[in-house]
Amino acid sequence: MPVSTPQPNDADGPFIQVDDEQYNNLAELEGQKVVHAAIWEDALADALAGLPGVDDGPAGVDIDLYLKDGVYFELYGVFCYPTLDQDPILDRAALESQLAALIATGLWLEEIAVDEDEALVLVLAQNHRPRLYVQVGAWLLDEWEELPDGAAS
């Protein structure tokens, strides 16, 4: 199972772009069921707000996204779009509710994509119909053995 390991120039932080090798490894995760998602109460962007050089625009959320076969994404600065033509869901409670409902009725990682800046985009779908486009500011990938307390598998 592919697990991201930092490159020498990224040793202290998460990935912000997807290179060809990472893309090929991540593509192996396509088709896996999403079994749990946890939105962090305090996002990294919240902690950086107000610092010099930090954009004062809407801050994305941070999400841990667990896949059935024991891999999870730590996603930072995430914006979730219901469709490519709609604005992102900015309300944390609304996003948390929507993610929980989608996972409860069956949600899959349909596609790994990259945007024009080579940043990671996850396409989450039900019955091969995209339900959320997850634009990721930064990410890590790791393995899990047990879901967090309160998560149903």
Side-chain angles (χ1 to χ4, degrees):
M1 183 110 352
V3 176
S4 296
T5 53
Q7 302 301 318
N9 61 345
D10 298 320
D12 294 332
F15 300 103
I16 57 172
Q17 293 182 316
V18 179
D19 64 27
D20 290 341
E21 182 180 346
Q22 289 170 326
Y23 180 84
N24 291 333
N25 288 336
L26 291 170
E28 293 178 22
L29 300 174
E30 291 178 345
Q32 285 202 33
K33 187 174 185 177
V34 177
V35 295
H36 181 67
I39 298 178
W40 297 24
E41 198 164 311
D42 296 315
L44 180 59
D46 294 337
L48 299 176
L51 293 177
V54 176
D55 185 7
D56 288 336
V61 296
D62 297 345
I63 300 174
D64 289 340
L65 191 71
Y66 293 79
L67 304 178
K68 183 172 176 54
D69 288 345
V71 173
Y72 78 99
F73 286 93
E74 289 181 24
L75 305 172
Y76 304 95
V78 171
F79 291 96
C80 294
Y81 298 81
T83 70
L84 294 175
D85 299 326
Q86 291 181 301
D87 291 333
I89 304 166
L90 296 177
D91 181 83
R92 280 192 179 121
L95 179 57
E96 194 166 36
S97 176
Q98 183 169 358
L99 267 172
L102 290 169
I103 291 168
T105 55
L107 186 66
W108 279 262
L109 175 57
E110 183 75 13
E111 181 182 352
I112 298 290
V114 294
D115 65 13
E116 62 276 356
D117 297 321
E118 297 185 14
L120 180 63
V121 177
L122 304 177
V123 181
L124 304 181
Q126 290 181 316
N127 299 317
H128 303 287
R129 286 187 27 229
R131 299 299 303 251
L132 282 178
Y133 295 87
V134 181
Q135 181 185 29
V136 180
W139 56 278
L140 291 170
L141 194 64
D142 206 347
E143 296 179 352
W144 62 272
E145 292 181 19
E146 290 185 24
L147 289 173
D149 290 341
S153 59

